[in-house]
Amino acid sequence: MAVGSNMIDLIKKYRFNIIILLVLTGLLFFFIPNEESRYLRPDIEEIKRKSHNVLLWTEIIFLVILLLIGLRQLKKIIDIFYLVAGLGLMGLTLFFLLDSIFLSTTLFLNKLSNKQTVDKTYKVVYVDGDRNLLLWDNDLKSSVQADQLIKTTEKVNIKVSDTVIVSFKKGLLGFNYDPNIK
């Protein structure tokens, strides 16, 4: 009986930490991979880069404010060193914890749009029967892995050197998502 009540007390004590851990796990293993499958690789990389920049600048501003508040109260050099080191560690920890939250929020916000469509032309560089598809983007001058364009139920009748038109929805943040071959 004592073991069961100790477990309940432990869960009550750490319920906020448990909720945060469950939310982050859900984001990392379910939401983000599902949402990333709705974008082509260059768009995902651009979203991640911009999401990291926003998070980094938000943290820098927050940490500078905390540093200025802390410096007003400290007199000794060693205390200032501890403050800077502590804020640096806190910033690094927050960056890794909030990274997935910022990314998932960016992916979610991008899908809130008027559903304007955009068509883009690609050249097929590689295709096989296992749903592997590699396209050439003339705008980026690079290849784009687009395996998600071939659905499991579709019969692939795309050949190397074919030109395909991919239709996207234009997102609220300007990123294309939900690619479909026309």
Side-chain angles (χ1 to χ4, degrees):
M1 186 76 172
V3 173
S5 70
N6 286 342
M7 182 62 75
I8 291 172
D9 291 340
L10 188 67
I11 290 173
K12 283 182 182 178
K13 181 178 179 182
Y14 294 107
R15 69 180 171 265
F16 183 71
N17 296 0
I18 293 170
I19 291 170
I20 296 260
L21 184 63
L22 290 174
V23 167
L24 287 175
T25 302
L27 288 174
L28 288 173
F29 293 108
F30 301 112
F31 184 77
I32 292 175
N34 184 41
E35 289 300 309
E36 283 185 357
S37 69
R38 301 178 77 179
Y39 294 85
L40 292 182
R41 180 63 37 206
D43 293 322
I44 281 292
E45 295 303 321
E46 184 68 15
I47 290 170
K48 284 181 180 178
R49 187 182 63 75
K50 289 191 177 186
S51 174
H52 287 138
N53 287 341
V54 169
L55 176 59
L56 187 63
W57 281 107
T58 303
E59 278 195 23
I60 287 171
I61 291 169
F62 176 69
L63 292 174
V64 166
I65 291 170
L66 288 178
L67 180 66
L68 292 175
I69 291 170
L71 286 176
R72 292 179 57 202
Q73 299 173 356
L74 299 176
K75 305 279 190 257
K76 296 180 187 173
I77 294 291
I78 192 74
D79 291 337
I80 294 171
F81 172 76
Y82 288 142
L83 175 68
V84 171
L87 288 175
L89 287 174
M90 183 178 78
L92 189 61
T93 304
L94 282 176
F95 183 82
F96 288 117
L97 285 175
L98 297 177
D99 183 39
S100 61
I101 293 172
F102 262 67
L103 179 58
S104 61
T105 302
T106 306
L107 294 173
F108 176 76
L109 287 175
N110 188 58
K111 290 190 321 181
L112 301 176
S113 71
N114 60 3
K115 308 295 187 223
Q116 173 189 2
T117 59
V118 174
D119 292 338
K120 229 174 158 183
T121 304
Y122 295 94
K123 187 170 184 117
V124 177
V125 177
Y126 176 81
V127 65
D128 65 15
D130 294 330
R131 295 184 26 181
N132 295 318
L133 180 62
L134 193 62
L135 303 173
W136 181 260
D137 187 343
N138 279 331
D139 297 336
L140 297 175
K141 303 286 188 235
S142 67
S143 59
V144 176
Q145 188 172 357
D147 300 339
Q148 72 267 38
L149 290 176
I150 301 175
K151 311 290 188 255
T152 54
T153 57
E154 284 183 6
K155 182 174 177 1
V156 180
N157 38 340
I158 300 171
K159 296 173 185 59
V160 174
S161 299
D162 284 352
T163 300
V164 294
I165 297 173
V166 179
S167 179
F168 297 94
K169 293 179 183 171
K170 190 71 162 178
L172 180 67
L173 302 176
F175 301 107
N176 297 331
Y177 70 99
D178 277 346
N180 291 305
I181 297 177
K182 276 189 157 181

